[in-house]
Amino acid sequence: MDVIISNCVINLATDKDSVLREAFRVLKPGAHLVAFAAPKNVGHLQLAIEAAGFEVRDCLIDIVDLDPKIAAFVASLGDEQRADGQAVGLRAQRRV
């Protein structure tokens, strides 16, 4: 595979390390992983990505305009930052 894109999904996995090791396994050398998370979770995600063998290359910011009903539902789940439509993405490259 050339790229894997995860939009706020990996951070929901109970075993992030296993998910990221599998992503590393299926990506060819030099391929990319782009993973988004709520701003409060991005530090933990970056550490897990690096521990899996990736090199973090860029930090991206995604700001979306959520429907107010969707934002209220997301906020009810306890993720106020994501409810505001903010996400931080990390572009990581698989080491050769």
Side-chain angles (χ1 to χ4, degrees), residues 36-55:
F36 286 88
K40 65 182 178 183
N41 297 328
V42 78
H44 298 291
L45 182 60
Q46 180 172 349
L47 291 174
I49 287 171
E50 291 172 339
F54 291 95
E55 178 183 352

Side-chain angles (χ1 to χ4, degrees), residues 2-21:
D2 294 321
V3 66
I4 293 175
I5 299 172
S6 169
N7 190 6
C8 298
V9 175
I10 293 174
N11 59 312
L12 299 176
T14 55
D15 187 358
K16 292 171 193 50
D17 296 332
S18 176
V19 171
L20 291 165
R21 281 192 307 272

Side-chain angles (χ1 to χ4, degrees), residues 34-69:
V34 180
F36 286 88
K40 65 182 178 183
N41 297 328
V42 78
H44 298 291
L45 182 60
Q46 180 172 349
L47 291 174
I49 287 171
E50 291 172 339
F54 291 95
E55 178 183 352
V56 173
R57 304 297 295 261
D58 295 303
C59 181
L60 314 163
I61 297 177
D62 175 29
I63 300 174
V64 295
D65 186 17
L66 292 179
D67 178 282
K69 291 178 184 175

Side-chain angles (χ1 to χ4, degrees), residues 27-38:
L27 285 171
K28 64 184 182 183
H32 292 90
L33 166 72
V34 180
F36 286 88

